[in-house]
Amino acid sequence: RTNEFFDYPYYQNENYITQSFCKKISYEIVRAVTIDLELSLKKFGKNLFNSTAIHIRLGDRGELTSKEFNHMKHQISKLNSQDQLYLFSDDLDKAESILKEITNFKVSKLKKSNELIDFLAISLCKNRIIIRESTFSFWASYLSDNIRSEYMI
């Protein structure tokens, strides 16, 4: 995928993922979105489709290592100052304080969210910065093209 920043190994094997599976699961995920979830996604605004999602996994993994911190700093430095960042994490307050240490970008987040909303929003963003390996963010990124096309129909 071209608009993703992956420098860390992922343990999913793309050789076993078929395009028909991706289309079917993307269709089912989008169809599972109720009116309430769609209203929640609208809180992000239309620029979600041209934005960058940053997913910082903290909860079960604890503090970022210096290598992870520097990786995130490097990836953010590649962004245009006009880019909009959307933050996703299992510890939003901690992730936001980490981001404030390294960037002046305006960072948006949903305080009242759930995993499905986060998954869809990460998938709908044009670019993704993934900090730490995560099955959740792997699938959100991997299915992004299919979910974006389903959602825009």
Side-chain angles (χ1 to χ4, degrees):
R1 303 251 184 249
T2 55
N3 291 320
E4 300 162 0
F5 305 106
F6 288 106
D7 287 342
Y8 292 100
Y10 282 80
Y11 302 103
Q12 293 78 8
N13 188 333
E14 295 178 10
N15 294 329
Y16 300 105
I17 304 170
T18 65
Q19 186 59 30
S20 63
F21 171 79
C22 290
K23 285 183 183 275
K24 181 177 180 179
I25 197 70
S26 298
Y27 174 84
E28 294 300 329
I29 289 169
V30 171
R31 295 302 167 251
V33 176
T34 64
I35 292 172
D36 290 340
L37 292 177
E38 285 184 9
L39 290 174
S40 295
L41 283 174
K42 286 180 183 174
K43 291 178 187 177
F44 280 109
K46 290 187 177 190
N47 63 351
L48 178 68
F49 293 92
N50 293 310
S51 299
T52 298
I54 182 164
H55 181 249
I56 305 173
R57 179 179 175 185
L58 293 169
D60 63 333
R61 299 290 302 278
E63 299 291 324
L64 294 178
T65 65
S66 60
K67 182 179 178 181
E68 292 166 333
F69 185 83
N70 290 333
H71 167 70
M72 178 173 55
K73 194 174 179 179
H74 176 71
Q75 295 301 332
I76 290 173
S77 74
K78 294 179 181 180
L79 299 174
N80 180 312
S81 63
Q82 302 302 314
D83 288 345
Q84 175 64 50
L85 276 178
Y86 287 96
L87 175 63
F88 303 92
S89 179
D90 51 357
D91 187 343
L92 277 175
D93 293 334
K94 177 73 173 175
E96 187 174 37
S97 70
I98 292 169
L99 279 178
K100 284 182 180 178
E101 291 179 37
I102 61 172
T103 185
N104 291 327
F105 274 91
K106 180 178 186 270
V107 178
S108 300
K109 61 183 180 169
L110 278 185
K111 290 187 181 198
K112 294 183 179 180
S113 188
N114 65 41
E115 291 84 3
L116 184 56
I117 293 171
D118 288 355
F119 188 92
L120 285 171
I122 290 170
S123 296
L124 292 172
C125 284
K126 182 177 181 180
N127 303 298
R128 285 156 296 285
I129 299 173
I130 309 301
I131 307 303
R132 294 190 164 149
E133 60 278 350
S134 161
T135 301
F136 179 82
S137 55
F138 169 84
W139 280 106
S141 295
Y142 196 81
L143 296 174
S144 176
D145 290 344
N146 289 302
I147 288 177
R148 285 171 63 93
S149 66
E150 285 290 334
Y151 199 84
M152 290 188 220
I153 290 176

